[in-house]
Amino acid sequence: MGRADRQLRLIAEAMEVAEALGVAVWLRGGWAMDFFLGEITRDHEDIDWFAWADDAGALAEGLLLHGYQPVPGPPPELQLDFDKDGLDHSFTLLDRDTAGRVVVAGGPWAGAPWPEGMLDAAPGRIGGLQCAIVSPQAQIEIKRMMPIWDPSRPRRTKDAEDIARLEAALRARGKRPE
């Protein structure tokens, strides 16, 4: 079984764990793009997610019970990292500010707003697997802005290619890419 097939199996498993716990999770990054497009467009190094900070403890417990191993990484109030079967999962944690906007939950950027409407996208699908995803417009903004928000993260070729794919798909669907 190739890496993409193994990752899809683990995406399904993580969603099942979250659903059983009543925890909302959203794919982000390259897999969110592929679920929006409905096909695998490239090899993915990891599986990136968003989850609410209030659900982090329950989510971590559920994943540990299913054989996920914690991996040291960013501050745990910002992101939870796991490995299963040699594949990385990162759950970036979300919170809301007093105005109700979705913001970074912790770490050095705590309280910084994420793109408006980021969690409002229809679920994405690859084959028979459906998953909540970050909106394609938010994906574009995040991929464009990450090197500005965090100068230690340079622009990557794959991000430019992902932006082009997302913009083309949005235009084809009669939607604005921004």
Side-chain angles (χ1 to χ4, degrees):
M1 185 187 306
R3 178 158 62 172
D5 290 330
R6 292 179 20 240
Q7 287 173 320
L8 286 169
R9 182 179 52 79
L10 289 176
I11 288 169
E13 181 180 79
M15 289 185 330
E16 288 171 12
V17 168
E19 186 175 315
L21 295 167
V23 170
V25 294
W26 295 263
L27 275 175
R28 63 184 182 89
W31 275 113
M33 175 190 68
D34 283 1
F35 270 74
F36 173 71
L37 298 173
E39 64 181 342
I40 299 170
T41 61
R42 62 174 171 84
D43 184 49
H44 299 281
E45 296 170 16
D46 55 13
I47 304 166
D48 297 314
W49 301 89
F50 278 121
W52 294 110
D54 289 347
D55 295 330
L59 181 61
E61 265 186 53
L63 293 171
L64 291 171
L65 289 173
H66 284 82
Y68 290 73
Q69 298 298 315
V71 176
E77 66 275 8
L78 172 66
Q79 181 172 300
L80 302 176
D81 291 342
F82 294 92
D83 175 89
K84 183 167 184 182
D85 300 335
L87 299 170
D88 295 331
H89 294 257
S90 294
F91 292 84
T92 297
L93 302 177
L94 304 172
D95 201 356
R96 289 198 185 271
D97 65 11
T98 56
R101 294 176 298 205
V102 178
V103 298
V104 175
W109 300 282
W114 284 104
E116 188 71 29
M118 178 176 81
L119 306 178
D120 297 339
R125 175 182 298 278
I126 291 180
L129 182 57
Q130 180 174 299
C131 186
I133 61 171
V134 171
S135 76
Q137 294 89 345
Q139 281 283 48
I140 291 167
E141 182 176 344
I142 292 167
K143 285 181 176 287
R144 278 194 181 133
M145 295 302 297
M146 191 56 69
I148 295 167
W149 294 334
D150 183 357
S152 71
R153 297 184 62 165
R155 293 201 185 277
R156 304 176 300 185
T157 301
K158 72 177 182 175
D159 291 329
E161 292 167 351
D162 289 354
I163 290 168
R165 281 187 191 105
L166 288 167
E167 287 177 336
L170 286 167
R171 281 192 298 275
R173 298 174 189 195
K175 298 181 180 178
R176 293 180 45 163
E178 352 181 67

